[in-house]
Amino acid sequence: MAPRPAPDLDHRRQQILHTARDLAESHGWPTVTMRRLASELGVTQPVLYSAFTSRQALIDAVALNGFNDLTATLGAVQATPRARMRAYLDFAADHPRVYEAMFSIPSGLAFAAHDTPEPLRRAFAALRDAFPDADGTRAEVAWSTLHGLATLQAGRRLRPSQAQGRLELAHRILTQEETH
């Protein structure tokens, strides 16, 4: 039996990303080490380092992948505040470790800067579509509110029985007309 050809780098990167995501979602980020990933994938650590220069580069790639998924999730619902808010909170609850990589694990990803990666820009644009204004401030406040709710809910610091009530209150606050 002839040896299988080595997969191309893009395919290898996707395999590593998928395995890292699955491992993180199942067991948490502390278990995602290059040694463990190499073992899970049946490759050597140098193979991993040929695709990702470091564990942090891998986590950043998982975060960017997560922003692509969040954008798709938000884009799959109407661009109304309530629908986008619900989709955002559901995404965070359904993918807690990916969400953690996106927002809680320190990274080199630039937010709200000239060099913000495109996946972050698209995710923000999906929120901005639901909270339009001249400069994006409404979307920033909506994102901040949703992130706070998602993070506190994931940490079990809010009463689960009030999740819908919190969403409705946040919706009313974020969609009320500005007063001067």
Side-chain angles (χ1 to χ4, degrees):
M1 181 172 181
R4 293 186 332 201
D8 69 344
L9 187 58
D10 286 338
H11 180 73
R12 179 178 295 138
R13 285 178 60 86
Q14 290 306 312
Q15 286 179 312
I16 296 166
L17 275 172
H18 179 76
T19 303
R21 270 181 84 146
D22 288 350
L23 191 56
E25 290 293 357
S26 299
H27 304 290
W29 281 107
T31 65
V32 181
T33 64
M34 296 306 243
R35 181 180 309 228
R36 174 100 183 251
L37 284 171
S39 175
E40 294 279 330
L41 290 164
V43 299
T44 63
Q45 288 184 51
V47 169
L48 297 180
Y49 286 110
S50 71
F52 296 97
T53 58
S54 66
R55 180 178 183 268
Q56 186 60 57
L58 173 60
I59 293 171
D60 288 352
V62 168
L64 288 173
N65 188 261
F67 281 108
N68 283 330
D69 291 350
L70 176 60
T71 301
T73 297
L74 296 174
V77 300
Q78 291 181 317
T80 63
R82 182 175 281 113
R84 295 276 164 105
M85 291 171 75
R86 168 57 43 215
Y88 183 100
L89 292 173
D90 287 347
F91 176 87
D94 292 344
H95 309 284
R97 298 301 151 243
V98 171
Y99 190 84
E100 185 179 10
M102 293 163 65
F103 292 107
S104 300
I105 296 174
S107 77
L109 300 177
F111 285 77
H114 71 282
D115 59 344
T116 298
E118 194 57 34
L120 278 72
R121 289 181 188 278
R122 286 193 306 267
F124 180 74
L127 282 176
R128 192 169 181 180
D129 288 346
F131 296 95
D133 67 356
D135 65 1
T137 301
R138 286 186 73 222
E140 288 175 340
V141 171
W143 195 326
S144 300
T145 301
L146 292 168
H147 175 67
L149 288 172
T151 301
L152 291 169
Q153 287 171 185
R156 294 177 173 74
R157 288 172 170 79
L158 299 174
R159 297 171 291 161
S161 63
Q162 296 304 311
Q164 186 62 35
R166 283 189 299 274
L167 177 63
E168 292 303 322
L169 177 58
H171 178 265
R172 281 194 309 276
I173 292 169
L174 290 168
T175 59
Q176 70 184 4
E177 290 295 317
E178 289 185 40
T179 58
H180 296 284

